[in-house]
Amino acid sequence: MKFTASRLSEGNKAFPTEIHLEENNIEIKKPGVFSGDSKYLNYEDITAIEVDSPMIGFSTLRLFLNGNKIEVNGFSKNDVKEIRNLIEEGRSRRRK
């Protein structure tokens, strides 16, 4: 499943961040003009998830992995809720 940040949010004007949720992992793509940045995260490596959803504006998703933090912003509240639920499902599937 693919989620794309809003172009109206800060840091996503020209090249919005994308989150691809797959069966075993997550890919976070931050495109750029000449090069982009992609991170692949396994569900079992994610130790915590935080969501910051202000009353007005776009939500921020924080994923914690063994002391590291990955933060992405610019997603709608509904998208962040769905992303979080799908990550939690992936984490629980991998534990079994």
Side-chain angles (χ1 to χ4, degrees):
M1 194 166 234
K2 176 182 168 183
F3 296 90
T4 304
S6 172
R7 289 185 184 270
L8 300 175
S9 63
E10 187 165 332
N12 292 303
K13 303 282 188 231
F15 302 103
T17 301
E18 297 176 355
I19 295 178
H20 298 264
L21 296 169
E22 299 172 11
E23 187 175 336
N24 297 320
N25 60 24
I26 304 164
E27 179 185 11
I28 299 174
K29 294 174 91 174
K30 294 184 178 184
V33 176
F34 298 110
S35 65
D37 183 29
S38 287
K39 291 185 172 118
Y40 293 90
L41 314 171
N42 291 321
Y43 289 121
E44 62 264 13
D45 294 337
I46 298 171
T47 56
I49 303 169
E50 281 184 5
V51 174
D52 181 18
S53 295
M55 291 291 280
I56 298 173
F58 297 99
S59 297
T60 300
L61 179 70
R62 290 180 200 89
L63 302 173
F64 295 89
L65 301 102
N66 302 323
N68 295 319
K69 176 175 73 170
I70 296 176
E71 186 173 288
V72 291
N73 66 333
F75 295 92
S76 71
K77 291 177 187 177
N78 290 335
D79 281 353
V80 168
K81 283 182 187 177
E82 189 171 354
I83 291 167
R84 182 181 190 154
N85 289 338
L86 291 169
I87 291 172
E88 291 291 349
E89 286 176 17
R91 290 173 67 198
S92 65
R93 237 189 354 258
R94 299 300 295 170
R95 287 184 200 140
K96 293 180 182 178

